[in-house]
Amino acid sequence: MIEVITSLFLIFMILGALIALESRDLFSSIISIGVVGFILSALFLFLKAPDIAIVQIVIEILTLVILIRATISRDVCFYEDTREFFPFAVNIIFLLLFSIIFISVLKYMPEFGEISSKVREFYLKEGFKKTGAANIVTSVILDFRGYDTLGEATVLFTSILGAVTLLRRRAKNE
Amino acid sequence: MIWILTFILFAIGVYGVVCKRNLVKIILGFMILDYAINLFLILIGYRKGGIAPIISQNENLQEFVSKAVDPLPQALVLTSIVIGLAITALFVAIAIRIYEKFGTFDISKIKELKG
């Protein structure tokens, strides 16, 4: 059952991604990427990851707002997309490389839904005892791997600082 | 089957990043790559008939450990999604600056960058 749902959602995501990349109108391609993100968040809900589904919805809305701010009121709706040989050849080479890696790894991939690791059992057993958080994901983020979250906050702060620096108006005393 | 579909999504992202000439399309291709990798990590952590890793009031711990899905990929993907937003915001800021300076999103028309 879960395989059917996941495959169906993935096919819809692939279609949405293709429309987003091939559409002539930039605004409609941004709407399509929003559709892909919301389908992804619904799929996270089916895969028993409610925290990530919530975060994905919030992030998707923020991304859409940022992208619409970038493209609206700029007359960039129609542009010619002529094929050049060099990027296409690079793309073929990249995809061949990735496909070779993927096919050679696919033999060793276990069946979907039957993967188990020792780390998982450790976190599930000790997470509630050691941190007292009923949500194990929260206990991993904020307690076992708190330094990761600190690094994440640093990356977020640095990148927002960079964006603000790029977008600011001219200095006053210039 | 599911792994192959995830790889196709990843390949579409690579195609968007490498082949497209519009800056916004390149950003969208990067976002598709991001989605594919996050989804792949969550799919790895899933177990058949699993439950969300949240302990309720009256639940046997042994049963919970045997049934719950893997919490570690979920925690790391949470970090990865937020960092994806940060990178996208930086990309868009650079794209807006390029549009203000050159008046186009098309990377082949930005002549002054050519050495």
Side-chain angles (χ1 to χ4, degrees), chain A residues 12-52:
Chain A
F12 277 124
M13 279 174 70
I14 289 168
L15 288 179
L18 278 178
I19 292 170
L21 284 181
E22 291 302 330
S23 165
R24 292 242 149 200
D25 189 3
L26 278 186
F27 199 66
S28 56
S29 57
I30 287 169
I31 303 283
S32 308
I33 205 86
V35 169
V36 176
F38 283 122
I39 293 174
L40 180 67
S41 122
L43 186 53
F44 282 154
L45 212 54
F46 276 108
L47 291 171
K48 307 293 176 195
D51 308 278
I52 306 189

Side-chain angles (χ1 to χ4, degrees), chain A residues 60-125:
Chain A
E60 194 57 44
I61 291 168
L62 282 176
T63 315
L64 279 186
V65 169
I66 292 169
L67 278 172
I68 288 173
R69 162 72 182 80
T71 52
I72 204 157
S73 78
R74 290 178 166 79
D75 50 345
V76 287
C77 286
F78 300 103
Y79 63 98
E80 70 273 29
D81 199 16
T82 51
R83 286 285 151 93
E84 281 183 68
F85 176 69
F86 182 66
F88 202 67
V90 170
N91 186 30
I92 296 290
I93 292 169
F94 261 106
L95 285 186
L96 272 180
L97 203 68
F98 280 128
S99 302
I100 290 167
I101 297 170
F102 174 73
I103 290 166
S104 59
V105 165
L106 190 63
K107 283 184 292 191
Y108 303 104
M109 282 301 284
E111 283 292 307
F112 170 65
E114 288 168 12
I115 302 164
S116 185
S117 62
K118 280 201 173 138
V119 184
R120 166 185 161 276
E121 285 174 15
F122 171 78
Y123 280 126
L124 289 175
K125 264 183 200 158

Side-chain angles (χ1 to χ4, degrees), chain B residues 14 19 31-32 42 44 48 58 64 70-71 76-78 86 89 107-108:
Chain B
V14 172
C19 263
M31 283 171 65
I32 293 168
I42 292 293
I44 280 182
K48 282 232 174 86
N58 42 9
F64 174 72
D70 200 342
L76 295 184
V77 165
L78 209 66
I107 52 173
S108 63

